[in-house]
């Protein structure tokens, strides 16, 4: 097994594993329930991690995840009613 990604949230981790699974890369989320231990554990040890079963697919998995992260919209949205940016 090989760790290929540390996700900021459990939702991001699930999206990443779904993307990998759709390509036939078996992956697992570690630390899925560790957020409740924040304060007891350093935050870097409580973030969800994506691990893959097959070490030979590491490069492909990292490329997929990098493409997924680059595809996310980064522009701020502005509320048409109040003008607040989000």
């Amino acid at each position: 097994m090989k760790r290929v990604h540390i996700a900021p949230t459990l939702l991001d981790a699930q999206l990443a594993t779904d993307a990998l699974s759709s390509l036939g890369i078996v992956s697992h989320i570690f630390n899925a329930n560790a957020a409740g231990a924040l304060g007891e554990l350093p935050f870097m040890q409580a973030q969800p991690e994506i691990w893959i079963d097959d070490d030979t697919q590491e490069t492909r998995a990292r490329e997929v995840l990098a493409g997924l992260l680059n595809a996310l919209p980064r522009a701020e949205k502005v509320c048409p009613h109040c003008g607040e940016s989000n």
Side-chain angles (χ1 to χ4, degrees):
M1 290 190 82
K2 189 94 164 181
R3 184 179 71 193
V4 293
H5 184 64
I6 298 174
T9 67
L10 186 55
L11 177 61
D12 292 324
Q14 188 62 57
L15 291 172
T17 57
D18 290 346
L20 294 173
S21 294
S22 71
L23 297 172
I25 300 173
V26 179
S27 60
H28 307 277
I29 301 174
F30 287 4
N31 297 337
N33 299 313
L38 282 172
E40 299 289 325
L41 294 174
F43 81 96
M44 285 301 291
Q45 292 180 351
Q47 289 183 298
E49 299 177 350
I50 310 301
W51 289 68
I52 58 171
D53 281 349
D54 186 358
D55 292 356
T56 62
Q57 293 184 323
E58 176 186 5
T59 303
R60 184 172 180 224
R62 289 186 187 275
E63 289 171 355
V64 168
L65 295 174
L68 181 66
L69 293 173
N70 290 334
L72 296 174
R74 303 242 185 249
E76 288 188 355
K77 305 251 184 201
V78 177
C79 175
H81 301 289
C82 69
E84 183 179 351
S85 64
N86 184 2

